[in-house]
């Protein structure tokens, strides 16, 4: 049995000082003062001990990739994200890919180190991204439950998927995916109206993918002049929709983060990177801002890791530190229903820890009991 001492423990409901955390066989076994019977002692030297970060939306970043169909590449990606405090990850691709699912499935059999929680696909096929009227004039077919059934047969590790509520059949496939243990997010959609969004929420959709990005806000009836809430407002006001947030200070400035927090609170928003699979810096003269497929919209390129997202969210906004940490740990665990063993420093939970200094820099990482980054 090992124990961590001299840490300011973030549970993440509260701070605990003067407590030690003991773990064995990948699980937390005791949280108390003066724990006896430990073979190894890790001195945190007064640093903060957070639950391991959980990233539910990451494609790669900094030259590593979760979308390359290679066991070596995926393992390298895991090694990289864990250096930034991520002990559990849901690798993301725009569409489900069986070859990737097969690689993830093999890695998911391992029981120590950083964990793949399943595949996340932002849509179920390229043709559905943004749907009408944004798909270059092409006719977008209705969603088909039979297609989704075949998809899950071929890729059983698919655990999160994005849907467009504007497309006919969205509520039906949402209901199907949820019945099979796959969480559903509203993602990359056209100008969805309130009824379309709420039918999917009632069917089980539980979040909006990267809030404010790839979606529309309020709309107006051209005949009556009345204004109605769009997906942005629906997410901010509907308690059962989590807000997925890229808190890097650029996609969403501090004031925007404050606005989301005031509406959703710590239980209703979670941090992600949405990091792309390429290296920084950009080529000389390469623009950070690029056109988006949605009319009159732009996108910002991002490769920032999750520790940077945590730092910037805290730095740019007025959100308390303990809530920022919770948005990177417990809340994402709740989003995908793994909060019975992840997201907390609690007896019986996975031994996933991040040691942070006063600037929120990652100084040590333990994933399911395995030391992945030794204390500096």
């Amino acid at each position: 049995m090992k124990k961590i001492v001299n840490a300011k423990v973030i549970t993440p409901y509260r701070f605990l000082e003067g407590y030690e955390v003991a773990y064995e066989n990948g699980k937390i076994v005791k949280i108390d003062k003066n724990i006896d019977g430990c073979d190894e002692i890790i001195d945190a030297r007064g640093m903060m001990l957070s639950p391991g970060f959980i990233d539910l939306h990451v494609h790669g970043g900094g030259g590593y990739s979760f979308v390359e169909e290679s066991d070596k590449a995926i393992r390298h990606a895991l090694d990289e994200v864990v250096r930034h405090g991520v002990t559990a990850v849901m690798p993301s691709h725009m569409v489900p890919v069986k070859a990737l699912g097969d690689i993830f499935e093999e890695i998911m059999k391992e029981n120590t180190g950083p964990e793949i929680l399943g595949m996340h696909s932002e849509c179920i096929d390229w043709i559905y991204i943004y749907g009408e009227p944004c798909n270059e004039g092409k006719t977008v077919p209705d969603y088909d439950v039979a297609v989704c059934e075949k998809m899950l047969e071929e890729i059983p590790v698919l655990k999160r998927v994005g849907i467009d509520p504007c497309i006919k059949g969205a509520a039906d496939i949402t209901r199907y995916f949820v019945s099979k243990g796959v969480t559903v997010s509203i993602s990359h959609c056209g100008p969805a109206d309130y009824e379309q969004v709420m039918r999917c929420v009632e069917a089980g959709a539980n979040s909006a993918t990267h809030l404010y990005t790839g979606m529309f806000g309020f709309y107006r009836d051209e005949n009556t002049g009345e204004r109605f809430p769009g997906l942005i407002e629906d997410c901010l006001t509907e308690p059962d929709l989590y807000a997925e947030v890229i808190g890097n200070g650029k996609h969403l400035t501090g004031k925007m983060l404050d606005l989301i927090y005031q509406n959703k609170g710590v239980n209703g928003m979670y941090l992600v990177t949405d990091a792309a699979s390429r290296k920084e810096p950009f080529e000389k003269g390469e623009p950070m801002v690029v056109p988006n497929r949605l009319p009159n919209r732009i996108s910002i390129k991002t490769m920032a890791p999750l520790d940077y997202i945590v730092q910037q969210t805290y730095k740019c906004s007025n959100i308390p530190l303990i809530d920022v940490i919770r948005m990177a740990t417990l809340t994402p665990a709740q989003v995908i229903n793994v909060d019975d063993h992840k997201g907390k420093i609690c007896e019986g939970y996975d031994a996933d820890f991040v040691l942070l200094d006063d600037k929120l820099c990652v100084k040590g990482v333990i994933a399911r009991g395995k030391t992945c980054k030794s204390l500096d």
Side-chain angles (χ1 to χ4, degrees):
M1 187 166 65
K2 301 177 182 179
K3 71 175 180 179
I4 302 169
V5 302
N6 298 325
K8 187 177 184 180
V9 179
I10 307 174
T11 64
Y13 294 103
R14 55 181 175 149
F15 293 103
L16 294 177
E17 298 201 51
Y19 281 78
E20 300 172 348
V21 179
Y23 61 98
E24 188 175 33
N25 298 324
K27 295 288 184 180
I28 299 170
V29 295
K30 195 169 187 179
I31 303 170
D32 207 342
K33 297 181 178 180
N34 303 314
I35 300 173
D36 295 324
C38 294
D39 304 315
E40 184 178 335
I41 297 174
I42 300 169
D43 187 352
R45 304 198 294 265
M47 288 189 284
M48 291 177 282
L49 183 69
S50 164
F53 298 157
I54 300 172
D55 195 348
L56 302 185
H57 189 165
V58 54
H59 305 273
Y64 59 87
S65 172
F66 279 115
V67 300
E68 186 176 340
E69 296 168 22
S70 158
D71 179 87
K72 183 178 179 180
I74 301 303
R75 290 182 184 278
H76 176 59
L78 279 176
D79 290 343
E80 290 296 320
V81 296
V82 79
R83 290 176 51 246
H84 296 281
V86 175
T87 58
V89 63
M90 190 163 271
S92 307
H93 198 352
M94 291 307 299
V95 294
V97 177
K98 184 179 185 306
L100 279 174
D102 292 342
I103 296 168
F104 295 161
E105 187 170 13
E106 286 303 308
I107 296 174
M108 288 169 68
K109 294 175 182 177
E110 300 171 6
N111 58 14
T112 62
E115 183 172 5
I116 290 178
L117 298 170
M119 176 187 285
H120 166 217
S121 295
E122 292 187 61
C123 63
I124 65 171
D125 193 290
W126 288 108
I127 196 170
Y128 294 105
I129 296 177
Y130 297 129
E132 296 288 1
C134 308
N135 203 0
E136 300 173 352
K138 298 176 183 176
T139 300
V140 178
D142 298 344
Y143 283 127
D144 187 339
V145 171
V147 171
C148 300
E149 289 175 345
K150 183 178 180 182
M151 184 183 301
L152 282 188
E153 287 176 5
E154 294 182 346
I155 314 174
V157 298
L158 182 63
K159 295 299 180 184
R160 188 160 181 78
V161 68
I163 58 95
D164 181 343
C166 302
I167 298 174
K168 187 176 179 180
D172 294 333
I173 69 164
T174 296
R175 194 172 298 107
Y176 169 73
F177 277 124
V178 171
S179 74
K180 298 300 180 180
V182 179
T183 57
V184 175
S185 187
I186 299 174
S187 170
H188 294 272
C189 62
D193 64 35
Y194 177 76
E195 289 298 323
Q196 291 170 323
V197 172
M198 291 310 298
R199 280 196 291 270
C200 292
V201 172
E202 289 160 353
N206 74 350
S207 70
T209 300
H210 41 50
L211 183 63
Y212 284 97
T213 299
M215 64 182 67
F216 289 85
F218 76 91
Y219 58 97
R220 195 170 191 177
D221 188 299
E222 293 181 359
N223 296 316
T224 66
E226 296 173 299
R227 290 184 176 89
F228 295 90
L231 176 55
I232 292 170
E233 293 79 18
D234 294 338
C235 181
L236 290 175
T237 57
E238 173 49 54
D240 284 347
L241 271 180
Y242 290 97
E244 181 179 290
V245 172
I246 306 172
N248 59 10
K250 295 184 182 296
H251 282 78
L252 297 166
T253 61
K255 290 297 182 183
M256 294 297 289
L257 293 168
D258 289 339
L259 171 66
I260 298 168
Y261 179 71
Q262 287 163 9
N263 281 271
K264 303 302 295 182
V266 67
N267 293 314
M269 60 188 288
Y270 64 99
L271 300 177
V272 299
T273 61
D274 192 16
S277 305
R278 55 163 295 179
K279 290 183 179 179
E280 291 189 86
F282 294 108
E283 298 294 331
K284 185 176 181 180
E286 181 180 349
M288 277 282 290
V289 176
V290 295
N292 186 287
R293 288 184 67 183
L294 286 175
N296 303 313
R297 296 294 183 92
I298 59 173
S299 291
I300 302 174
K301 298 176 183 177
T302 178
M303 279 78 70
L306 196 52
D307 55 347
Y308 178 83
I309 297 290
V310 168
Q311 293 161 11
Q312 290 301 111
T313 297
Y314 181 58
K315 177 182 177 181
C316 296
S317 74
N318 292 306
I319 303 173
L321 175 60
I322 196 166
D323 285 356
V324 172
I325 296 297
R326 189 161 161 180
M327 292 171 189
T329 57
L330 180 57
T331 308
Q334 292 169 331
V335 171
I336 58 165
N337 304 314
V338 297
D339 54 306
D340 61 342
H341 64 285
K342 285 194 177 292
K344 299 181 191 178
I345 295 180
C346 177
E347 293 177 7
Y349 274 59
D350 288 355
D352 293 338
F353 308 113
V354 183
L355 278 165
L356 302 167
D357 67 12
D358 58 359
K359 295 181 180 179
L360 301 181
C361 295
V362 174
K363 296 299 181 180
V365 183
I366 297 167
R368 290 188 291 176
K370 179 181 178 181
T371 299
C372 299
K373 179 180 173 68
S374 297
L375 183 60
D376 292 346

